[in-house]
């Protein structure tokens, strides 16, 4: 019997395992479906190199899910896509673009409002955890920042030509310069163009596996197992008491006083559903006995992204995929450094607080059957209008870059077909097990990540975030796990 059993060694799970095992009298057991390395040097070079996105078809360290990005209509076919998530110690923090930007204060005001104005989720309440996790090499000695934490944070001082050209064009269009996108409220301009804080050190991507978990592996009270697929949570009544798992051809079970799901917004939701926590009608249709009715997967948030390709004959040295962004309220314009073909570059135009929400449902009880994921992007006229305006703004900035011009700009009328043809996702799915008060019919977990209606079970990952985040989620996921570690040991 272990004190805490963590399912999933991804971005949040590595943080939680490391922090909980700091107490020598508290036993922690972590189960990860992917590979476990004993040192950062053992990880494949593609996972360490911050200038590469190791998500190609040959990558063996990924979960892959088919998804419907936009539903069909009388006039348009459905837009299909694929989601990828990191599989292995560190999860998506080992494969992403190293973007490490805090969510702004307005997001936490909305988050608090979802909990009836609870002070636990104000920006002031979460700031100590943001500071504790970071070693900001640029601003760590200034108020509101951290120095000496596990995650190194840096901004480029030598941007690539494409990043430099975009930043100059944005400034020429009278957008403010934002030196620090992680500045606390009131410490500088909140909107404009600025360098992206990245979790990179010496050219290496520093995910939570190498930053948190690997240094803790020698602790006698911490056990980490890889290649373990958890397919069901075991209950005695409404108390979680353990999990059933498969490891290769072997099946087994582990008992624990407390179980924490850190498998990500897709897998944590799917595991709850397979275990009998979810919409009763959906579970009954799959022959899954209901342990507790809950709106798992009933809605989720993600960031729709329009890819605007342009031609520009400019050198493209290796760099992190995104060195600068232009952030404007609910819009983020991303000048990717990676060329998509000879002289062809891309601006990502992302809507960060869309009104449209998605749905996740099980297709079957087998853990190897991927769930049905429907983003339902572009369902609302407001979202289509905001993206249309954002694309026009991106083109305006693009025209200020000497020699640059869009390959396939939108037509002067009838934008929806063009938006669909260029639609993608930012891969930031969240909110499948959303946080909220017990009386909130949309809520799955409470304000401290405990699952409503049962005991001994929590969810600590991006699936609990109850509002769309206005910035990429990596830094906020680490912050969430830092805070949850304090609650779970108190």
């Amino acid at each position: 019997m272990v004190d805490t059993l963590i399912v999933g060694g991804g971005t949040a799970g590595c943080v939680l395992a490391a922090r909980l095992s700091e107490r020598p009298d508290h036993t922690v057991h972590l189960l990860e479906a992917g590979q476990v390395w004993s040192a950062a040097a053992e990880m494949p070079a593609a996972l360490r190199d911050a200038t590469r996105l190791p998500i190609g078809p040959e990558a063996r360290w990924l979960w892959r899910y088919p998804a419907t990005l936009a539903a069909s209509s009388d006039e348009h076919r459905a837009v299909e896509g694929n989601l990828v998530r990191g599989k292995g110690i560190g999860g998506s923090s080992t494969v992403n673009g190293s973007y490490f930007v805090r969510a702004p204060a307005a997001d936490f005001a909305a988050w608090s409002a979802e909990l009836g104005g609870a002070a636990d989720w104000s920006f002031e309440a979460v700031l100590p955890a943001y500071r504790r996790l970071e070693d900001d090499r640029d601003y760590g000695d200034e108020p509101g920042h951290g120095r000496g934490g596990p995650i190194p944070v840096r901004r480029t001082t030598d941007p690539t030509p494409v990043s430099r050209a975009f930043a100059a064009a944005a400034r020429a269009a009278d957008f403010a310069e934002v030196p620090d996108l992680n500045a606390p409220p009131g410490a500088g301009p909140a909107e404009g163009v600025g360098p992206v804080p990245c979790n990179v050190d010496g050219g290496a991507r520093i995910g939570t596996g190498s930053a948190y978990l690997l240094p803790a592996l020698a602790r006698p009270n911490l056990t980490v197992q890889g290649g373990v697929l958890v397919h069901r949570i075991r209950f005695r009544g409404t108390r979680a008491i353990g999990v059933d798992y498969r490891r290769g051809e072997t099946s087994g079970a582990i008992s624990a006083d407390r179980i924490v799901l850190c498998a990500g917004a897709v897998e944590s939701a799917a595991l709850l559903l397979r275990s009998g926590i979810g919409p009763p009608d959906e579970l009954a249709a799959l022959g899954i006995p209901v342990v507790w009715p809950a709106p798992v997967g009933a809605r989720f948030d993600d960031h729709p992204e329009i890819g605007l390709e342009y031609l520009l004959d400019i050198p493209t040295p290796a760099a992190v995929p995104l060195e600068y962004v232009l952030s404007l309220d609910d819009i983020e314009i991303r000048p990717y450094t990676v060329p998509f073909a000879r002289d062809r570059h891309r601006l990502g135009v992302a809507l960060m607080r869309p009104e449209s929400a998605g749905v996740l449902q099980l297709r079957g009880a087998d853990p190897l059957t991927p769930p049905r994921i429907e983003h339902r992007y572009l369902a609302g006229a407001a979202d289509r209008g905001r993206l249309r305006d954002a694309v026009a703004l991106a083109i305006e900035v693009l025209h200020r870059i000497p020699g640059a011009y869009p390959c396939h700009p939108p037509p002067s009328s009838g934008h929806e077909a063009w938006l669909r043809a260029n639609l993608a996702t930012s891969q930031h799915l969240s909110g499948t097990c959303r946080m909220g008060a017990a009386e909130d019919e949309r809520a799955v977990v409470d304000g401290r990540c405990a699952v409503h209606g049962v005991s001994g079970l929590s969810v600590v990952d991006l699936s609990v975030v109850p509002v769309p985040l206005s910035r990429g989620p990596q830094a906020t996921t680490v912050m969430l796990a830092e805070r949850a570690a304090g609650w779970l040991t108190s």
Side-chain angles (χ1 to χ4, degrees):
M1 174 77 75
V2 299
D3 292 320
T4 298
L5 175 63
I6 299 171
V7 180
T11 304
C14 287
V15 176
L16 203 60
R19 290 306 192 196
L20 292 181
S21 62
E22 287 176 346
R23 276 182 47 183
D25 62 339
H26 190 93
T27 55
V28 179
H29 200 128
L30 185 149
L31 302 178
E32 165 55 37
Q35 189 168 353
V36 173
W37 298 276
S38 60
E42 294 181 2
M43 298 172 68
L47 298 182
R48 301 194 306 270
D49 186 352
T51 69
R52 298 169 64 180
L53 281 177
I55 57 174
E58 75 289 348
R60 61 189 185 277
W61 40 72
L62 295 175
W63 296 96
R64 301 179 189 273
Y65 309 98
T68 299
L69 302 185
S72 61
S73 67
D74 293 339
E75 300 178 1
H76 305 286
R77 293 181 179 180
V79 180
E80 305 295 339
N82 290 284
L83 304 185
V84 294
R85 294 292 183 272
K87 184 179 182 182
I89 285 300
S92 293
S93 72
T94 65
V95 301
N96 63 20
S98 305
Y99 172 115
F100 206 81
V101 185
R102 298 172 176 177
D107 286 357
F108 291 104
W111 191 327
S112 296
E114 290 291 320
L115 289 157
D120 270 356
W121 289 102
S122 67
F123 185 82
E124 292 73 20
V126 304
L127 181 58
Y130 272 131
R131 294 183 64 197
R132 184 165 60 249
L133 66 87
E134 71 183 14
D135 183 16
D136 193 315
R137 309 291 174 81
D138 304 317
Y139 295 96
D141 296 325
E142 297 189 12
H145 292 81
R147 175 73 79 183
I151 301 289
V153 179
R154 296 176 180 271
R155 299 147 189 85
T156 182
T157 57
D158 184 22
T160 60
V162 69
S163 300
R164 191 180 303 117
F166 177 84
R171 290 191 293 266
D174 293 329
F175 292 110
E177 186 160 5
V178 185
D180 179 18
L181 287 165
N182 281 344
E191 296 185 354
V193 64
V196 174
C198 294
N199 50 305
V200 172
D201 190 20
R205 179 189 293 107
I206 308 297
T208 58
S210 55
Y212 279 88
L213 187 67
L214 298 186
L217 285 181
R219 294 172 185 166
N221 60 325
L222 173 62
T223 301
V224 179
Q225 288 183 275
V228 179
L229 182 62
V230 174
H231 57 88
R232 188 171 69 92
I233 303 163
R234 305 174 69 199
F235 288 92
R236 181 178 295 124
T238 57
R239 177 167 184 80
I241 59 171
V243 301
D244 294 330
Y245 69 86
R246 299 174 188 168
R247 190 176 191 187
E249 300 299 319
T250 304
S251 297
I254 298 178
S255 299
D257 285 338
R258 176 171 53 215
I259 299 164
V260 186
L261 306 187
C262 298
V266 175
E267 290 298 324
S268 285
L271 181 52
L272 285 179
L273 292 167
R274 290 197 303 269
S275 304
I277 297 178
D281 291 347
E282 293 179 23
L283 298 181
L286 296 171
I288 299 174
V290 177
V291 173
W292 189 262
V296 176
R299 66 159 287 152
F300 66 74
D301 299 304
D302 204 336
H303 299 140
E305 181 170 336
I306 302 299
L308 181 63
E309 293 192 349
Y310 64 99
L311 296 181
L312 181 62
D313 186 5
I314 197 168
T316 54
V320 294
L322 192 59
E323 295 180 310
Y324 272 78
V325 294
L326 176 58
S327 296
L328 304 167
D329 189 26
D330 62 340
I331 297 296
E332 191 169 82
I333 300 176
R334 305 164 178 164
Y336 293 113
T337 63
V338 181
F340 288 76
R342 177 176 170 80
D343 299 337
R344 183 168 290 195
H345 303 266
R346 177 174 294 184
L347 292 181
V349 183
L351 180 59
M352 307 304 285
R353 294 196 300 274
E355 294 181 1
S356 305
V359 173
L360 180 149
Q361 297 173 319
L362 285 188
R363 297 177 189 269
D366 190 323
L368 296 179
T369 301
R372 178 180 295 106
I373 300 172
E374 299 179 2
H375 282 72
R376 301 181 179 178
Y377 286 154
L378 308 179
D383 288 354
R384 296 194 298 271
R386 284 296 290 147
L387 280 169
R388 185 170 57 245
D389 293 344
V391 168
L393 176 61
I395 291 175
E396 179 183 332
V397 174
L398 190 61
H399 283 159
R400 293 177 181 271
I401 300 176
Y405 63 93
C407 299
H408 304 289
S412 57
S413 61
H415 278 64
E416 184 168 352
W418 185 90
L419 289 175
R420 284 173 167 265
N422 294 278
L423 179 64
T425 178
S426 298
Q427 306 276 358
H428 296 160
L429 194 150
S430 68
T432 50
C433 309
R434 61 185 290 123
M435 184 181 289
E439 61 274 12
D440 185 346
E441 295 181 351
R442 304 166 301 165
V444 176
V445 305
D446 66 16
R448 293 201 165 186
C449 300
V451 177
H452 288 304
V454 300
S455 57
L457 180 62
S458 299
V459 182
V460 179
D461 58 30
L462 197 55
S463 62
V464 307
V465 178
V467 296
L469 296 175
S470 302
R471 301 292 182 265
Q474 182 177 205
T476 299
T477 304
V478 180
M479 176 276 294
L480 172 68
E482 282 274 5
R483 301 197 77 213
W487 301 328
L488 292 170
T489 54
S490 60

